Amino acid sequence: MLVSLQEMLQEAERNNFAIASINTPNQISLRAVIEAAEDTGMPVTINHAQTEESVVPIEIAVPLMLDYARKSTAAISVHVDHGFDFDHCMKAVRLGCTSIMYDCSRFPLEKNIEEVRRFVDIVKPLGIGVEAELGAMPNNMPSDVHGQETSDLSDLSVYFTDPKEAEVFCERSGCDVLTTSFGTVHGVYAGEPNLDIERIKKIKSLAGDVHLGMHGGSGTPFDQIQAAISAGIKKINYFTAIDTAPAPYLMKTIQESKNPVNFCNLANQAMEIIYERTVEVLNAFKNASHT
Ligand SMILES: [Zn+2]
């Protein structure tokens, strides 16, 4: 069923778990992630990122995502991940997305607040949830598919969100979810992940009714993720580790096959692996309250 992100987050706050927010840029991922949500009983946000426009345009992806969400027995919201342009985000509104990340984190604080406020004032009366970002999220994607440059990862603390700025942002922007920077990386880690859990707690204490999001979940050990959930994180973007999981298995199938390999069989194998990886992730997000 199609459920708003705001509704899901309220339940996550009450029961101390996190909503997984997973990109589904193809039908294999879409089916696998939704099936994993159904089998674990966990609500999930399925995402279309603006950077995935070259993989599948939003006009094609979102109607399909909405259809799958409505037919599912699991609680699913359809979300835009990292919408950088106002016009793109408005297109997502018209297509029926239930929540949208309007990412203006590249701007100075004041302009970030103004832009997000402008968007919130338009979409809040429609019941659409808004996610914003404050503080830079360093980037280390495993390939150049997303067209983003790799960041200098020698000292992640230079990217961290200032809790005082987060407080001002939450008071004035009107966003539902604020994603902050405290040690995660988009893509794969260069070294051992080390999240600043105290920073999350501080931001949570200053954020009022705004829920806290975390991006770059892939590669972060589950015990650190669970500590982040207990400290206040209730929406976690987790994609790279799921998306890269099938490749080694598919390569093995191709290399070991003595006959031409049928793509449908590879697709089914990929779907099974994405499903299994997603189930692991959803269970880890569910069990935070038990740590
Ligand atoms: Zn992100």
Side-chain angles (χ1 to χ4, degrees):
M1 71 211 84
L2 190 62
V3 174
S4 74
L5 177 61
Q6 302 92 302
E7 207 176 309
M8 287 181 179
L9 284 166
Q10 279 161 13
E11 198 199 329
E13 296 283 0
R14 277 195 298 272
N15 296 309
N16 195 30
F17 66 86
I19 311 293
S21 192
I22 304 172
N23 297 21
T24 53
N26 57 69
Q27 204 166 167
I28 291 166
S29 305
L30 186 54
R31 285 182 58 192
V33 168
I34 289 197
E35 218 171 286
E38 288 172 349
D39 290 352
T40 56
M42 285 288 278
V44 167
T45 290
I46 50 175
N47 303 341
H48 179 272
Q50 188 175 348
T51 50
E52 287 163 350
E53 279 291 292
S54 60
V55 179
V56 56
I58 191 168
E59 292 90 345
I60 304 288
V62 164
L64 193 64
M65 290 159 72
L66 286 168
D67 195 37
Y68 270 91
R70 289 192 180 104
K71 287 173 181 161
S72 175
T73 55
I76 307 286
S77 69
V78 176
H79 179 75
V80 166
D81 187 33
H82 292 285
F84 295 108
D85 302 328
F86 183 82
D87 290 348
H88 180 81
C89 292
M90 288 308 295
K91 196 189 280 184
V93 171
R94 290 191 289 275
L95 286 167
C97 289
T98 47
S99 58
I100 295 165
M101 179 185 195
Y102 185 31
D103 182 356
C104 298
S105 61
R106 64 196 179 281
F107 296 131
L109 177 65
E110 197 60 31
K111 185 163 167 65
N112 190 352
I113 292 173
E114 279 172 18
E115 277 295 311
V116 173
R117 181 83 242 180
R118 175 165 79 108
F119 188 60
V120 166
D121 287 343
I122 295 168
V123 305
K124 204 155 206 159
L126 304 172
I128 295 171
V130 176
E131 178 179 0
E133 182 169 314
L134 180 66
M137 181 64 64
N139 184 49
N140 192 32
M141 299 302 285
S143 72
D144 61 359
V145 168
H146 294 257
Q148 294 171 358
E149 285 176 26
T150 300
S151 309
D152 178 358
L153 303 177
S154 54
D155 178 12
L156 292 182
S157 69
V158 300
Y159 303 103
F160 285 4
T161 305
D162 176 352
K164 279 281 163 206
E165 287 194 357
E167 181 180 25
V168 173
F169 195 96
C170 290
E171 277 172 7
R172 291 178 46 206
S173 72
C175 69
D176 298 285
V177 182
L178 179 63
T179 283
T180 57
S181 181
F182 47 82
T184 57
V185 171
H186 276 142
V188 289
Y189 286 89
E192 187 65 20
N194 188 17
L195 305 190
D196 187 345
I197 300 295
E198 290 309 312
R199 185 172 299 264
I200 302 170
K201 288 182 186 166
K202 179 77 184 162
I203 294 171
K204 178 67 183 166
S205 73
L206 299 169
D209 294 336
V210 175
H211 306 284
L212 299 187
M214 160 177 157
H215 283 217
S218 289
T220 311
F222 283 152
D223 62 338
Q224 287 197 45
I225 287 186
Q226 288 166 348
I229 296 170
S230 291
I233 296 294
K234 294 294 177 277
K235 173 181 179 291
I236 301 178
N237 282 45
Y238 199 103
F239 177 54
T240 304
I242 291 173
D243 197 45
T244 54
Y249 297 94
L250 300 184
M251 275 161 61
K252 191 164 182 287
T253 299
I254 293 165
Q255 281 162 357
E256 290 178 356
S257 175
K258 293 186 175 48
N259 299 309
V261 181
N262 185 309
F263 175 71
C264 292
N265 291 345
L266 288 180
N268 277 339
Q269 192 185 356
M271 190 158 65
E272 187 61 33
I273 294 159
I274 292 172
Y275 166 84
E276 284 167 9
R277 194 76 184 92
T278 306
V279 165
E280 268 176 46
V281 169
L282 297 184
N283 282 330
F285 290 8
K286 184 190 331 193
N287 292 332
S289 53
H290 304 307
T291 59

